[in-house]
């Protein structure tokens, strides 16, 4: 276990200790320390009430928007640190938000409200690891397991179902059978969870090294929230996804691969995907339908001309993951080569534009557009060099033929 804490974290812990309070790092950072990962942030939990936290850190910058959950964010050495009073969550009448939070003097009670054993540990240099629910053993066994009764925990907050699937995917952990069974039974409750939360968890899940297994194990839950995913090709897509680079957008395109254009756009809207993600998934889909057969060099260049490098690469990656055929891997290499060599595959790469044609006496208009596109096709097909003089001569020749 990594036990060294950043200086600011040690400082905050000792300031709280010196003021007579208990204080620990808790949750995800303890899990990461036990796994020898470096935590991306450290959360502190303390017996001090929020007013007391504010007194201890008087003189430091603070933000208080988390105050109703007992969280004070203190800026120490330019780094924000979230310090939260030990608390117990009240009832969950909406299946998502605790109705009220109650502060408690007991660390163990605070750990008890946390979702999974691996996330329910605390650590302080003086006390060492505090692990009342066997989180350390579950990390060693690579197991996601609820703290307490899984059915109760998922009915309090159905987001935990997706968090569990996400941790299993990202950490490459198994899911304890009781936890998995409860995920399935409580999956209808996922309809209470907002699109934003679903999307955020799903996108993290998709980039995990064990994304396929989580998607297959979590099929009932995910399809309860997104029924459009549920068809005969689900498992095959989930498996193919693992053969893609760990890129959430690309993997989402694979997951949604069974949908027609309209359903796809409905699913992306339903998830409130960002415009960048939705656009990329839709362009990849459109490009997929244009992959030429056979996929020889000129055909590849024409595909790139039609859809651009990015969508062509996405489509080839998707097809490669679906079929495993070497032709798609070769085409991807060729595409990278073309991109690196700055090959002329779009009007903006061509060393002649409308302005040059006008300067040489040609009238602007649709005919000029046709000429430019024909020039581009001839360059792509290797009939014409991408050189201003050659291009201009060919353009003037075409214009003359047109007039005659
Ligand atoms: P990540 O690496 O994604 O940040 P994390 O475990 O730190 O993982 P956070 O969402 O930052 O996850 O939450 C911090 C801690 O708060 C968790 O480790 C867990 O103890 C607790 N927690 C967060 N969300 C829930 C929830 N929905 N139900 C119960 N406990 C939760
Ligand atoms: Mg965290």
């Amino acid at each position: 276990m990594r036990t060294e804490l950043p200086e600011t974290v040690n400082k905050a812990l000792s300031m709280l200790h010196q003021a007579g309070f208990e204080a620990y790092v808790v949750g995800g950072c303890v899990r990461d320390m036990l796994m020898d990962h470096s935590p991306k942030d450290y959360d502190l939990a303390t017996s001090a009430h929020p007013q007391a936290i504010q007194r201890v850190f008087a003189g430091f910058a603070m933000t208080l928007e988390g105050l109703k959950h007992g969280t004070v964010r203190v800026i120490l050495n330019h780094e924000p640190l979230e310090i939260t009073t030990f608390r117990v969550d009240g009832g969950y009448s909406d299946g998502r938000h605790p109705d009220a939070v109650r502060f408690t003097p007991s660390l163990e009670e605070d750990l008890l409200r946390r979702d999974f054993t691996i996330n329910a540990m605390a650590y302080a240099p003086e006390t060492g690891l505090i692990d009342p629910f066997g989180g350390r053993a579950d990390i060693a066994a690579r197991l996601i397991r609820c703290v307490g009764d899984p059915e109760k925990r998922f009915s309090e907050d159905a987001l935990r179902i997706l968090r569990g699937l996400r941790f299993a995917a990202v950490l490459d952990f198994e899911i304890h059978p009781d936890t998995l069974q409860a995920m399935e039974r409580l999956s209808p409750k996922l309809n209470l969870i907002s699109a934003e939360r679903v999307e955020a968890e799903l996108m993290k899940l998709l980039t995990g090294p064990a994304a396929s297994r989580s998607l297959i194990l979590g099929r009932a839950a995910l399809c309860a929230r997104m029924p459009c995913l549920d068809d005969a090709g689900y498992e095959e897509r989930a498996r193919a996804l693992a053969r893609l680079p760990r890129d959430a957008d690309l993997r989402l395109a694979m997951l949604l691969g069974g949908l027609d254009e309209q359903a796809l756009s409905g699913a992306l809207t339903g998830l409130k995907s960002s415009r960048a993600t939705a656009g990329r998934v839709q362009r990849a889909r459109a490009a997929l339908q244009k992959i030429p057969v056979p996929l020889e060099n000129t055909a590849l260049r024409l595909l790139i001309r039609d859809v651009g490098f990015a969508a062509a690469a996405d489509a080839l990656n998707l097809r490669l993951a679906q079929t495993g055929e070497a032709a798609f891997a070769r085409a991807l290499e060729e595409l990278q080569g073309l991109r690196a060599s700055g090959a002329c595959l779009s009007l903006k790469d061509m060393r002649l534009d409308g302005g040059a044609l006008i300067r040489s006496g040609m009238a602007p208009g649709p005919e000029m557009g046709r000429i430019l596109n024909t020039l581009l096709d001839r360059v792509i097909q290797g009939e014409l060099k991408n050189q201003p003089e050659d291009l201009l001569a060919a353009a003037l020749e075409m214009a003359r033929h047109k007039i005659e």
Side-chain angles (χ1 to χ4, degrees):
M1 175 180 183
R2 288 193 184 184
T3 51
E4 73 281 15
L5 294 171
E7 211 179 295
T8 49
V9 173
N10 270 322
K11 179 170 175 183
L13 289 174
S14 61
M15 285 171 75
L16 287 159
H17 291 159
Q18 272 160 25
F21 300 106
E22 284 185 54
Y24 305 88
V25 293
V26 285
C29 64
V30 183
R31 177 194 72 223
D32 290 342
M33 287 158 70
L34 278 166
M35 295 184 72
D36 283 325
H37 296 168
S38 32
K40 59 181 186 310
D41 49 25
Y42 291 81
D43 295 321
L44 270 63
T46 177
S47 57
H49 279 210
Q51 290 76 9
I53 301 175
Q54 290 174 65
R55 275 198 303 277
V56 171
F57 294 96
F60 292 91
M62 283 181 233
T63 55
L64 302 174
E65 66 266 28
L67 209 54
K68 70 171 193 290
H69 307 292
T71 301
V72 177
R73 174 192 275 231
V74 181
I75 317 291
L76 284 174
N77 279 348
H78 311 287
E79 276 177 54
L81 204 57
E82 297 213 328
I83 305 177
T84 306
T85 308
F86 296 156
R87 59 169 230 232
V88 182
D89 296 332
Y92 285 79
S93 42
D94 65 356
R96 171 67 197 107
H97 301 98
D99 299 331
V101 305
R102 176 169 66 73
F103 298 135
T104 163
S106 155
L107 169 67
E108 192 152 331
E109 267 196 301
D110 181 89
L111 296 176
L112 192 61
R113 75 173 163 89
R114 295 173 184 271
D115 46 8
F116 302 106
T117 58
I118 60 167
N119 290 343
M121 293 178 279
Y123 172 82
E126 295 77 6
T127 53
L129 183 70
I130 298 185
D131 176 22
F133 311 109
R136 180 177 212 161
D138 283 345
I139 287 179
R142 307 184 75 79
L143 206 54
I144 303 294
R145 182 207 308 253
C146 283
V147 173
D149 172 19
E151 296 213 359
K152 179 161 167 282
R153 303 315 308 283
F154 292 140
S155 49
E156 287 168 357
D157 177 3
L159 181 66
R160 292 171 185 156
I161 298 174
L162 294 181
R163 284 175 56 88
L165 294 170
R166 185 252 292 186
F167 286 120
V170 171
L171 302 175
D172 191 5
F173 278 22
E174 297 288 344
I175 301 175
H176 188 278
D178 296 346
T179 295
L180 184 62
Q181 197 180 18
M183 282 178 170
E184 287 180 10
R185 282 177 46 90
L186 274 301
S187 54
K189 287 236 173 199
L190 274 171
N191 287 315
L192 299 167
I193 302 301
S194 73
E196 289 84 351
R197 308 299 289 254
V198 173
E199 198 258 359
E201 293 299 334
L202 178 64
M203 296 303 265
K204 287 188 208 165
L205 184 163
L206 287 174
T207 58
S212 298
R213 195 183 55 211
S214 259
L215 289 170
I216 291 169
L217 287 177
R219 178 173 183 167
L222 291 163
C223 294
R225 185 63 172 75
M226 298 180 67
C228 67
L229 292 182
D230 207 2
D231 67 21
Y234 180 92
E235 289 211 3
E236 201 180 311
R237 290 194 301 275
R239 263 188 269 279
L241 210 128
R243 296 190 285 269
L244 285 167
R246 282 167 58 181
D247 173 321
D249 290 350
L250 198 52
R251 289 182 166 198
L252 182 66
M254 178 68 85
L255 185 66
L256 300 177
L259 305 179
D260 63 27
E261 210 177 302
Q262 203 185 351
L264 176 65
S265 121
L268 291 164
T269 314
L271 274 173
K272 301 208 176 151
S273 290
S274 70
R275 278 176 60 170
T277 293
R280 186 166 164 210
V281 170
Q282 282 166 322
R283 285 191 297 274
R285 163 62 57 82
L288 209 46
Q289 278 149 9
K290 291 187 182 161
I291 293 181
V293 184
L295 188 50
E296 37 71 39
N297 188 279
T298 303
L300 175 64
R301 288 164 184 256
L302 292 171
L303 173 70
I304 298 169
R305 176 200 63 185
D306 286 349
V307 304
F309 274 107
D314 284 352
L316 291 169
N317 266 310
L318 288 166
R319 192 67 95 219
L320 174 62
Q322 283 166 340
T323 64
E325 280 173 29
F328 299 109
R330 274 198 303 274
L332 269 168
E333 269 172 36
E334 242 171 77
L335 177 145
Q336 307 304 359
L338 288 168
R339 177 146 48 187
S341 69
C344 171
L345 295 171
S346 73
L347 285 178
K348 71 176 168 18
D349 304 326
M350 203 162 66
R351 296 184 63 193
L352 183 85
D353 60 11
L357 291 179
I358 292 168
R359 284 194 295 282
S360 66
M362 207 180 283
E367 180 56 21
M368 185 185 284
R370 270 192 292 277
I371 289 177
L372 286 167
N373 277 308
T374 309
L375 291 174
L376 175 63
D377 283 351
R378 291 178 57 190
V379 171
I380 291 174
Q381 286 165 31
E383 295 169 19
L384 193 60
K385 285 206 187 108
N386 186 20
Q387 293 297 342
E389 316 80 61
D390 301 36
L391 292 164
L392 185 60
L396 294 174
E397 174 81 10
M398 274 190 257
R400 199 159 52 77
H401 277 297
K402 177 75 188 168
I403 292 161
E404 276 165 7

